[in-house]
Amino acid sequence: MCSMRTTKNGATPIAGLENLPNLLIRLQSHGFQGTGGEVWDEILLNTNEPGSDTMIGTSPDGLRRSLDEAKTCIAALYDVGDKLRRKIRSLRRAYIPLAHEIGMKGLPDEIILQIFEAGYLMTSGWTFTRTVSQVSHRFRQISLNMPLLWTRISGRYSTDQVKRFLSQSRQMDLDISTRCSGLDLAKFLPRLGRHLNRITKLRYFDKKAASTMRDIGYIDLPQVETLHLHFDVYEGFSELKSLLRGLNDVSSPSLISHTQLTSFEFVANGRGNCVLDIPALAHAIYNKENLKHLSLTLDGCPHGDSGDLKIRDIHSVPIDSLQVTVKGRTGFDPLHSFYEFLSSLLPSTVHLTMEDVGEADTSKELFYLFVGDGGEVMFPYGSVIKITALGIDYRFWSAPDDLLLMLLVKNCKFVHTIHLEVGGMNFVSPSHSIAKDDWKHFSALRHLRFTRCDLLPEWELRALVTNLMIGAKEGEGLRSLEIFDCRGISEDCLLDLSDEVGSKLSWKLTLANHECSEMDRVH
């Protein structure tokens, strides 16, 4: 082992650095393949030290010294890597602005147009448009000749801004947000004038917007396909019926035709002991015959009225995507009523997000719908299932009931992609063994991701790799397994498994080095 010493300038050298060239030569001679249990004393040991005879390579002392040298070298590699990362960050900060300037000058306008389009579709609001149009004269000219960037208009825009956006968007479909005060909304809507028939997306539509539109004579928005409906539960659930009536009743003039809608987002903001009228909402959703994308948010809704809720056949209505967000200490009463009427849907992709929900004793309270005759139906259900559970108290749960991954594959036999971000749940088995027959439930699963799943143990990860990758039949098994910041999984474990399955396994671990800064290692 190398002794620590100080250089002339006072810096402390990296221990083991002088041995790295020999280590790299040895690795290169083996083609960087595994070298089994070979002892590298004849390469790594300092032959000037007493007793460093290479003939002791196979002795216990030789093995120990070889192991110590290997550890010293890997520590040196990490130290060198850390210093190089700092150097790279410094150089990147100095170089990237120049590279962007040089690179952009060489890019044709057609490529920049595609970049702008991709960036715009990944964002919301007008921030992206404002940013790119103010970078340079060239970017300004390109953005002005790109109508898509000017199709989002908010009720908070000034008269001049609305005129500019309407002009620059030309005849493209409009994405309108009515989020502003009642007085401003009455001024904003007339500014749209003859462009009402271009509105295909209407955001932050609420009782105030509906009333204002009717007051100024706007009773028909014929092209609206995407509606984001916001409702304050504390205003009284009778108001919800009034708001939804225009969307349900085809026999009278309505602002928006329910048969036209393909995307619907409903956000319920609750307060106190107010009750959400779930049958009214269910009726509105059921009437949207061409619905493809549905998003529902319950924020602070402790109570729900489901007295006359009529349910369709379970999993009988196919849609493309369903997103359900529950937060703000929402109670299980409205949550289970939501599950009940949503059980009629058969989404291709379903994403359930739970943040700071009420107290639960088992996972069944979070993910199960109880039906007649003692039956159980699990929610969510789809080909792609994503679950994000944050701010949930797991302390009083009984682990055997909380095997989330096993429950998902058993209840939804055609699910091929699962993404889980849950901190306090178990996934496959409460013990260190998994029954052989249980693996048959994973036959359709192809892609699996764990993010911040702190109770995922290494033995379970190894079992997933062994049975769903290494031991899978041809054409079956996992094609990708991703591990992101799971505290129970070490990098050594991931490296060992990667040696067996290669690029099918990927990960990102956030570790703290000795200087308490973050270091991301991505395989």
Side-chain angles (χ1 to χ4, degrees):
M1 300 292 288
C2 301
S3 60
M4 297 297 293
R5 60 186 183 277
T6 303
T7 59
K8 293 181 179 179
N9 60 7
T12 301
I14 297 175
L17 184 61
E18 62 269 30
N19 287 336
L20 281 181
N22 288 333
L23 171 65
L24 295 176
I25 291 172
R26 185 60 177 250
L27 287 172
Q28 187 177 29
S29 68
H30 286 270
F32 286 91
Q33 302 298 316
T35 56
E38 292 183 35
V39 178
W40 294 358
D41 287 354
E42 69 275 18
I43 295 294
L44 296 177
L45 290 182
N46 186 344
T47 56
N48 294 325
E49 292 184 10
S52 61
D53 189 349
T54 59
M55 296 301 293
I56 66 170
T58 56
S59 69
D61 185 59
L63 289 172
R64 179 189 60 77
R65 298 184 67 179
S66 184
L67 176 61
D68 288 344
E69 283 295 333
K71 288 181 177 180
T72 300
C73 286
I74 197 66
L77 282 174
Y78 284 142
D79 285 342
V80 169
D82 181 57
K83 294 183 183 299
L84 287 176
R85 275 187 290 272
R86 294 183 186 183
K87 184 64 174 178
I88 288 171
R89 286 195 295 268
S90 176
L91 292 171
R92 184 185 289 124
R93 284 193 294 268
Y95 173 71
I96 284 181
L98 297 175
H100 286 173
E101 182 178 353
I102 296 171
M104 283 299 178
K105 287 181 178 179
L107 282 178
D109 289 355
E110 293 77 8
I111 300 299
I112 296 179
L113 282 170
Q114 294 182 29
I115 295 173
F116 283 5
E117 180 178 358
Y120 180 80
L121 296 176
M122 292 169 61
T123 60
S124 60
W126 75 307
T127 304
F128 182 84
T129 299
R130 178 183 60 187
T131 301
V132 299
S133 64
Q134 295 177 351
V135 170
S136 64
H137 176 73
R138 184 189 181 198
F139 276 24
R140 177 71 174 174
Q141 293 306 117
I142 293 175
S143 65
L144 290 175
N145 288 300
M146 189 175 179
L148 176 64
L149 296 186
W150 306 90
T151 55
R152 293 177 186 155
I153 304 177
S154 170
R156 296 176 175 176
Y157 291 4
S158 66
T159 300
D160 290 341
Q161 286 176 325
V162 172
K163 288 181 179 179
R164 168 56 66 91
F165 273 69
L166 289 174
S167 173
Q168 295 301 141
S169 61
R170 297 172 190 172
Q171 293 303 311
M172 293 195 71
D173 295 340
L174 296 178
D175 182 344
I176 302 298
S177 170
T178 62
R179 192 175 192 178
C180 58
S181 68
L183 180 62
D184 291 340
L185 186 60
K187 295 180 179 179
F188 166 68
L189 292 172
R191 296 171 189 162
L192 300 177
R194 59 185 176 83
H195 300 278
L196 289 176
N197 61 355
R198 293 170 54 195
I199 301 175
T200 59
K201 294 182 180 179
L202 189 58
R203 301 180 186 273
Y204 290 99
F205 184 73
D206 55 14
K207 181 186 68 172
K208 176 178 61 182
S211 176
T212 303
M213 285 184 176
R214 289 192 176 96
D215 289 345
I216 62 179
Y218 291 171
I219 60 173
D220 186 23
L221 299 175
Q223 301 301 322
V224 173
E225 298 177 354
T226 299
L227 177 65
H228 298 252
L229 182 62
H230 289 244
F231 175 71
D232 292 325
V233 177
Y234 53 83
E235 293 179 345
F237 63 81
S238 61
E239 298 291 349
L240 177 61
K241 292 181 178 180
S242 175
L243 178 58
L244 294 173
R245 189 175 297 122
L247 306 178
N248 298 329
D249 191 356
V250 294
S251 62
S252 63
S254 60
L255 289 170
I256 302 164
S257 170
H258 62 79
T259 58
Q260 183 75 21
L261 289 177
T262 59
S263 179
F264 181 58
E265 177 182 352
F266 177 81
V267 179
N269 296 306
R271 182 184 299 174
N273 293 319
C274 298
V275 179
L276 176 64
D277 186 358
I278 295 175
L281 178 60
H283 182 58
I285 291 175
Y286 285 162
N287 279 348
K288 294 168 179 47
E289 301 172 359
N290 296 313
L291 192 65
K292 298 299 181 184
H293 307 282
L294 176 61
S295 175
L296 301 172
T297 298
L298 296 182
D299 187 357
C301 299
H303 307 290
D305 175 22
S306 57
D308 59 349
L309 184 61
K310 297 180 180 180
I311 308 300
R312 291 183 175 181
D313 292 339
I314 189 169
H315 303 149
S316 61
V317 182
I319 64 173
D320 291 343
S321 67
L322 170 63
Q323 183 161 338
V324 177
T325 301
V326 184
K327 56 185 180 179
R329 307 301 291 175
T330 291
F332 289 108
D333 177 25
L335 177 62
H336 289 167
S337 297
F338 253 50
Y339 287 175
E340 193 171 1
F341 82 80
L342 292 176
S343 66
S344 64
L345 302 179
L346 181 60
S348 296
T349 299
V350 56
H351 189 177
L352 174 61
T353 300
M354 315 192 81
E355 301 178 19
D356 190 29
V357 299
E359 294 181 1
D361 296 326
T362 68
S363 61
K364 289 187 177 181
E365 292 191 58
L366 293 177
F367 304 116
Y368 267 82
L369 163 68
F370 297 92
V371 295
D373 300 325
E376 297 176 344
V377 175
M378 190 172 186
F379 186 89
Y381 191 91
S383 300
V384 177
I385 297 176
K386 303 177 182 180
I387 297 178
T388 303
L390 307 172
I392 296 176
D393 192 346
Y394 301 96
R395 290 176 298 173
F396 306 107
W397 287 28
S398 52
D401 292 331
D402 308 329
L403 308 176
L404 181 56
L405 181 57
M406 185 64 75
L407 291 174
L408 289 173
V409 296
K410 280 186 175 181
N411 285 272
C412 189
K413 299 186 182 301
F414 61 88
V415 59
H416 59 73
T417 300
I418 295 178
H419 293 175
L420 300 175
E421 183 177 356
V422 291
M425 298 186 66
N426 299 102
F427 299 98
V428 181
S429 174
S431 65
H432 279 69
S433 62
I434 303 173
K436 186 175 181 180
D437 288 344
D438 283 340
W439 293 111
K440 66 184 180 182
H441 299 295
F442 292 81
S443 59
L445 192 62
R446 296 293 177 268
H447 306 282
L448 180 59
R449 176 188 297 171
F450 295 97
T451 301
R452 287 180 283 278
C453 295
D454 294 339
L455 292 190
L456 176 67
E458 290 187 350
W459 75 265
E460 200 164 88
L461 178 61
R462 289 191 180 96
L464 290 169
V465 170
T466 300
N467 291 275
L468 302 183
M469 287 184 165
I470 299 173
K473 297 180 180 178
E474 185 176 357
E476 297 184 3
L478 290 177
R479 296 172 185 169
S480 69
L481 176 58
E482 299 171 290
I483 308 296
F484 296 150
D485 297 335
C486 297
R487 294 184 180 179
I489 307 299
S490 67
E491 188 175 26
D492 286 342
C493 173
L494 293 167
L495 288 169
D496 288 343
L497 294 175
S498 179
D499 288 341
E500 300 188 65
V501 298
S503 60
K504 289 184 178 180
L505 175 64
S506 59
W507 69 86
K508 178 179 180 180
L509 300 180
T510 301
L511 304 174
N513 66 8
H514 60 278
E515 294 181 342
C516 298
S517 62
E518 289 191 345
M519 178 173 62
D520 290 342
R521 295 176 188 151
V522 183
H523 176 75

